[in-house]
């Protein structure tokens, strides 16, 4: 799934984006930071995608002294949070869980360039992510510990009953045929012999947690 680079505003494919950002950060970064302080800080460039829904991805610039809990909160805000479920990073077979205190580790203390690791939100209806440190670099200090460098365009998912884009999902019927609806086809749900009410449907959103648990964006 294609996405847009937030630095130069050009579109690239998912597979080409990491390489593009490396060179784009090099070429164009000074323009971005001109207005901000000239002091240099260490940053991590992190590529994140859904393990089972890899059309959904993010490329982030994360300050080296940000904590795992900062990354956890950021991922919850942009992609995941529904009912305050538990979450966990797994890095080199070590687990850092949101219920313990070990998410207070700083990024720079547990990750290095080329590190690959994973993240799980919610151990019931889980959403799993693959993370990859593309690059570690020095640059002028930016506002905010975590900034989005690029993000996928919303994948178009079709209504199960016609050619329109789907807007709603029945959390019960989504695994069987016919659980995705456009607004014109909502009345077809009655035929599914399902206890769910239309008010309980979830919206189609740009997240690997689309249609899961109570996630509504
Ligand atoms: Zn760019
Ligand atoms: Zn939930
Ligand atoms: Zn249903
Ligand atoms: Zn439809």
């Amino acid at each position: 799934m294609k996405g847009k680079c937030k630095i130069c505003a050009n579109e690239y494919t998912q597979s080409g984006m990491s390489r593009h950002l490396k060179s784009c950060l090099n070429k164009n970064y000074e323009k971005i930071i001109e207005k901000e302080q000239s002091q240099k800080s260490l940053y991590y460039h992190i590529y994140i995608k859904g393990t089972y829904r890899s059309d959904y991805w993010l490329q982030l610039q994360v300050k080296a002294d940000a904590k795992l809990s900062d990354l956890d909160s950021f991922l919850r805000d942009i992609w995941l949070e529904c009912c305050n479920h538990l979450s966990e990073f797994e890095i080199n077979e070590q687990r850092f869980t949101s219920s313990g205190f070990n998410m207070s580790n700083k990024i720079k203390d547990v990750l290095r360039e080329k590190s690959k690791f994973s993240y799980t939100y919610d151990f019931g209806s889980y959403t799993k992510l693959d993370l990859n440190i593309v690059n570690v670099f020095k640059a002028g200090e930016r506002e905010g510990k975590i900034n989005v460098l690029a993000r996928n365009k919303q994948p178009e998912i079709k209504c199960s009953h016609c050619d329109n884009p789907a807007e709603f999902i029945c959390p019960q019927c989504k695994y069987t045929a016919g659980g995705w609806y456009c607004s014109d086809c909502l009345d077809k749900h009655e035929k599914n012999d399902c206890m769910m009410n239309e008010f309980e449907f979830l919206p189609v959103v740009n997240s690997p947690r689309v249609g899961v648990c109570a996630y509504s964006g």
Side-chain angles (χ1 to χ4, degrees), residues 24-77:
C24 191
L25 279 165
N26 256 333
K27 260 192 298 191
N28 298 321
Y29 199 70
E30 294 304 325
K31 290 181 201 156
I32 296 169
I33 60 167
E34 260 168 16
K35 302 169 214 129
E36 302 169 30
Q37 297 110 302
S38 58
Q39 187 189 339
K40 298 246 176 186
S41 302
L42 193 65
Y43 285 101
Y44 279 55
H45 170 185
I46 311 182
Y47 172 32
I48 307 170
K49 62 177 190 229
T51 304
Y52 307 111
R53 287 172 155 177
S54 60
D55 268 6
Y56 298 92
W57 54 266
L58 287 167
Q59 300 260 7
L60 302 180
Q61 176 181 352
V62 181
K63 230 178 155 182
D65 61 6
K67 294 174 181 163
L68 287 177
S69 57
D70 294 324
L71 185 55
D72 178 52
S73 313
F74 187 89
L75 292 172
R76 285 170 181 257
D77 286 350

Side-chain angles (χ1 to χ4, degrees), residues 1-21 24 28 57 59 149-154:
M1 178 52 57
K2 276 191 161 188
K4 201 180 219 180
C5 171
K6 298 231 171 187
I7 300 170
C8 66
N10 289 320
E11 282 191 3
Y12 292 88
T13 60
Q14 181 170 358
S15 60
M17 186 61 92
S18 291
R19 209 183 37 178
H20 165 72
L21 279 170
C24 191
N28 298 321
W57 54 266
Q59 300 260 7
L149 292 170
R151 181 179 184 171
N152 69 281
K153 297 208 282 186
Q154 179 151 4

Side-chain angles (χ1 to χ4, degrees), residues 4-217:
K4 201 180 219 180
C5 171
K6 298 231 171 187
I7 300 170
C8 66
N10 289 320
E11 282 191 3
Y12 292 88
T13 60
Q14 181 170 358
S15 60
M17 186 61 92
S18 291
R19 209 183 37 178
H20 165 72
L21 279 170
K22 267 186 156 177
S23 74
C24 191
L25 279 165
N26 256 333
K27 260 192 298 191
N28 298 321
Y29 199 70
E30 294 304 325
K31 290 181 201 156
I32 296 169
I33 60 167
E34 260 168 16
K35 302 169 214 129
E36 302 169 30
Q37 297 110 302
S38 58
Q39 187 189 339
K40 298 246 176 186
S41 302
L42 193 65
Y43 285 101
Y44 279 55
H45 170 185
I46 311 182
Y47 172 32
I48 307 170
K49 62 177 190 229
T51 304
Y52 307 111
R53 287 172 155 177
S54 60
D55 268 6
Y56 298 92
W57 54 266
L58 287 167
Q59 300 260 7
L60 302 180
Q61 176 181 352
V62 181
K63 230 178 155 182
D65 61 6
K67 294 174 181 163
L68 287 177
S69 57
D70 294 324
L71 185 55
D72 178 52
S73 313
F74 187 89
L75 292 172
R76 285 170 181 257
D77 286 350
I78 197 166
W79 257 3
L80 304 167
E81 187 67 272
C82 53
C83 334
N84 203 18
H85 299 283
L86 285 181
S87 59
E88 180 179 272
F89 289 96
E90 189 181 334
I91 303 171
N92 292 327
E93 288 170 20
Q94 217 189 326
R95 291 166 193 281
F96 303 88
T97 308
S98 61
S99 62
F101 297 101
N102 51 12
M103 273 203 193
S104 57
N105 282 280
K106 291 180 174 172
I107 302 283
K108 64 178 178 193
D109 296 329
V110 287
L111 293 164
R112 57 191 59 182
E113 193 159 325
K114 307 274 187 260
S115 291
K116 287 183 166 44
F117 57 111
S118 66
Y119 172 91
T120 303
Y121 176 77
D122 180 5
F123 292 94
S125 311
Y126 58 84
T127 299
K128 236 186 134 183
L129 308 178
D130 289 332
L131 301 88
N132 189 349
I133 308 293
V134 180
N135 195 9
V136 179
F137 61 100
K138 281 205 154 168
E141 173 111 19
R142 289 186 77 175
E143 225 180 283
K145 286 181 186 163
I146 302 178
N147 287 282
V148 177
L149 292 170
R151 181 179 184 171
N152 69 281
K153 297 208 282 186
Q154 179 151 4
E156 195 171 294
I157 301 170
K158 280 209 162 98
C159 170
S160 318
H161 309 275
C162 74
D163 272 342
N164 291 336
E167 295 168 66
F168 306 96
I169 309 151
C170 172
Q172 283 298 316
C173 304
K174 69 182 172 191
Y175 298 115
T176 61
W180 300 67
Y181 298 90
C182 72
S183 39
D184 294 344
C185 297
L186 281 172
D187 55 345
K188 300 200 165 107
H189 182 249
E190 286 170 23
K191 298 187 196 112
N192 276 12
D193 197 22
C194 168
M195 299 299 284
M196 278 275 167
N197 189 307
E198 277 172 32
F199 300 113
E200 298 165 283
F201 283 13
L202 296 168
V204 174
V205 290
N206 190 7
S207 154
R209 198 162 172 78
V210 59
V212 179
C213 192
Y215 188 68
S216 59

